[in-house]
Amino acid sequence: QVRLVESGGGSVQAGGSLRLSCAASGYTGILCMGWFRQAPGKERERVADIHSRGRTNYADSVKGRFTISKDAAKNTVYLQMNSLKPEDTAMYFCATAEAFGSLLCGAYDNWGQGTQVTVSS
């Protein structure tokens, strides 16, 4: 079982930046790691993910503002969030999925506890 611990959330004014971190432990094999978010009353959405081979994907709503990256030596994935907007306010979750080949990720089925991001106008 992969254990995920997120950190880096907080409150920021619109236009500001935050960097989220997700440290993974207890896993073997090749994984995809992703960031998801869920705002009150809304469905959870995928924000960004990164394949173990480096391929990244972003939600249209965050393209050009958010960057996902990983430090393989530290088993940690980061989400750099710039130009934050009030609509980015949500609980952000880190998750893992099995990786296939060099591009494909399976279903995300292992989740961290989440970290809150609040953006005020």
Side-chain angles (χ1 to χ4, degrees):
Q1 182 80 16
V2 180
R3 182 171 180 263
L4 303 172
V5 178
E6 300 105 328
S7 61
S11 297
V12 65
Q13 289 191 329
S17 298
L18 285 172
R19 189 177 81 153
L20 305 183
S21 300
C22 175
S25 61
Y27 76 89
T28 59
I30 300 171
L31 293 175
C32 297
M33 296 185 74
W35 286 99
F36 294 72
R37 67 186 180 186
Q38 188 167 21
K42 295 187 177 181
E43 293 188 355
R44 184 170 56 197
E45 64 170 338
R46 186 184 310 188
V47 176
D49 66 0
I50 184 166
H51 191 281
S52 60
R53 304 289 185 176
R55 187 270 302 145
T56 59
N57 278 322
Y58 296 91
D60 288 343
S61 58
V62 306
K63 282 181 181 177
R65 300 189 298 122
F66 291 11
T67 302
I68 190 169
S69 61
K70 62 177 182 176
D71 184 331
K74 296 181 179 180
N75 296 330
T76 299
V77 66
Y78 304 97
L79 185 69
Q80 178 66 45
M81 305 185 294
N82 298 328
S83 302
L84 282 161
K85 304 175 181 180
E87 51 263 43
D88 295 318
T89 295
M91 183 70 80
Y92 283 70
F93 298 89
C94 177
T96 62
E98 186 177 356
F100 300 95
S102 60
L103 294 176
L104 298 179
C105 297
Y108 282 87
D109 58 3
N110 189 60
W111 299 85
Q113 81 286 353
T115 184
Q116 178 67 37
V117 171
T118 302
V119 184
S120 58
S121 58

